[in-house]
Amino acid sequence: MSLAHEFMGSAGARLKSGSGNCVPLLELRSISKSFPGVQALDDVSFAIWPGEVHMLLGENGAGKSSLIKVLCGAYTANAGEFYFKGERVEMHDPADARALGIAVIFQEFSLVPYLDIAQNIFLGREFPGVLPGTIDRQRIRDEAKRVLDQIGFDIDPRTPVHKLGIAQQQMVEIAKALSQDARILVMDEPTAALSDREIERLFVMVRKLQADGVAIIYISHRMAEVFELGDRITVLRDGRKVGSVLPSETTPDELVRLMVGRSVDTSYGRHFCEKPGEIVLDVQNVTAANGISDINLTVRSGEIVGLCGLVGSGRTEVARAIFGADRIASGQIHVFGELRKGAPDVAVRQGLALIPESRKTQGLALLRSVGDNLLVAGLNKLFPDGIFRKTVARRTADETVQRLRIATPSTRQIVNFLSGGNQQKVVIGKWLTTGARLFIIDEPTRGIDVGAKAEIFNLIDGLVQEGAAVLMISSEQSEIVHVCDRAYVMREGRIVGELAREELTEENILRLGMHHA
Amino acid sequence: MPDLATASTANSPIATIPGVAVVLVLLSALFATVAPGFLSAANLSNVLMQSTILLMIALPMTLIIMTEGLDLSVGAVLTLASVVLALTVVATGSFILGLATALAVGLAFGVLNGILVAWMAIPPFVATLGTLGVAQGLALIVSDGQSVVGVPPSILFIYSGKVSGVPMPIVLGGAAYLFFHVLLYHTRFGTYVPALGGNREALKLAGVPDRGMLIAVYGLGGIMAGVAAMLLTARMNAGHPTAALGMEFDAIAAVAVGGTSFERGNGWLFGTLLGVFAVGILRNGLNLMAVPSSAQVACIGVLVILALYIDSLRGPS
């Protein structure tokens, strides 16, 4: 595709910006970046105009993260050129990017836990105080307050960041980027951790920035927002640009095809459970100090039961209480007819598995091999005499890799180098060796691309087909609707409703889960 | 009880009474009842004065630990600086020259630690364990294993002198605390310290030279070891090649007792001050009760565990 052709394609965006200026704000020409053994970016060209929201799509490992890192100066490209308003510029370190007004909202938060919100927003750009080397803390707070007000985030800027939840940290990240008077704002999956209400607020903000002439590069895995916000869509695959299209000229199916290079069924069509088995999880009137009260729910074998509600409604806390990670104050939990009490190790012996919401910090030993991660939960079961036998270990790991179709060169590969979807398979896989039959899965597809999502759901479906039971927590209502046999909806630490298969719609979930406003 | 956390104006994690304050009150009450003469003005002043040497190295140790680092070499570097200071003063008769040499030795070791940790990516525990050995060996070599005596008594002023009736060590200790308070909470450098431990990547992406900052933190620790060497030499009126060996234990203990965490850049400078007093009072009270030094070390160990246990009762901050 010629560059000229691409410029033509952005007419819509240019009209929106009202400038009529043909020169892009930023243009990347034939950018390549390689690491030993990996071609992360291969001849990628990319341009963005003021006031344009440019959606960047691609599966994990497609090169989106590398492209962002090149854009913000964290990586230096091996080849290619940068043009800012038509002028050739160099891009070697973060200072170069900042000088051009490029700000990035990273998916992995770039916040310092024991500094306050204001200090985080202005990290590295502190206002000088009276004496050399000192800082003007009051001014930093005032300016931070101003930026926070601008995005409608009502919080004391002196609050230390370690006290904030994920969604609040996301808002701080956004404030941090905005405070840099960014002309080009890169957002890496900004909605991944946000509730619907927060997402709406974010969208309003994005449109406001767009109206102010800010160019926005927006990475997303959610088709709905790609079409809702995007002026143009660029798709990457295997480090190459495979297409740059206007939303009006494409369909979600076409985008998915571009991303994965093949057709993928996004409906995750599964065979819903016709005849559920006996009750394997029975939670009765459980109240716990972690904020949940009077929880009643059941899961039968062969079922996938959803647990939904807004972020912070207590879903994860229910999972933790069942698993014994948090103590319960009153009520009873039975699993497979047995009273559930004691710490997680007892839960594992009783046949429970918890797949936590944060894959990287709670689910995996990132710097260990695929094999090590797969075996870690099942060591007691595999080697009851406490002696580690390599052949058994290798065979078990290999079997799991094949069964779950984990894409890895070998079981010796370091887990950190796998894609998000394959990492998630490893987290699930490690429980197969324990003989678990009741799986609690928290946010099974967070940060996982479309193609891999379907595979994860197939895998979960496979588990219940074999008689296991699954309690699935998800912030993505469409997933709950497409995957679950029934679902419970939570609000403010309580279960506010149960939806049977035929009542299970996104509208019903929202209606129950929203605060009475 | 007033909220000590807000008194420090810090982003301190302490919402209720910190463990170190509880420990401090308990210790004072204990020794007031069982240790003869503990509450006398002379003894309390003595505790303060003796604590200043520890304070000098515990203050920068707080910053180092906030970067998720550690400096095991500080006791040995302090000892080496003290010996070198004494030797220089004996040889040249110039206290200023002696002090300059001590500071230079401290700075050199501090920067070396920083380079090993920041540039060569050697884990702080191992890097500073190595420099501990080097400094300790050098102290024995340059002193020939003997105490360096014959230091002119004019140096005594540093430890025994008074400014407007306030003993010199307390003046110096107070000045050092103030300096570190301003440094940590009111400068750019201080803002980057918790970032070095809490999220170095964020600091790098903000365009801050993170390695240079880390070297500066360790370098500061070295300089302060030189300052402490000045007090120590003046107190003993000699340089002794084993004088402060093992003092890193007291320093790390004081920082830990004071509520600074070894993870994520969570530190509290005022807590370190209280921690230094807790260690100082414990040592002093046990001395009054004629408890041998080896048993004192065991008691400090118990103190650390006790303070951190009290902190943990409040759950994760």
Side-chain angles (χ1 to χ4, degrees), chain A residues 110-111 126 133-135 137, chain B residues 185-188 192 199 202 264:
Chain A
S110 64
L111 300 179
E126 291 81 5
T134 60
I135 51 176
R137 290 183 59 159
Chain B
Y185 299 118
H186 295 280
T187 68
R188 273 166 189 268
Y192 301 151
N199 194 338
R264 306 214 301 155

Side-chain angles (χ1 to χ4, degrees), chain A residues 272 480-487 499-505:
Chain A
F272 290 100
I480 297 271
V481 169
H482 283 119
V483 173
C484 295
D485 294 297
R486 57 194 173 88
L499 296 168
R501 176 71 223 145
E502 48 285 359
E503 309 162 310
L504 196 48
T505 62

Side-chain angles (χ1 to χ4, degrees), chain A residues 8 37 96 136 230 234 294 339 351 357 360 376 378 433 464 481:
Chain A
M8 301 306 286
D96 290 337
D136 187 344
T234 289
D294 200 24
L339 186 63
E357 69 182 315
K360 292 193 173 190
V376 67
T433 52
V464 293
V481 169

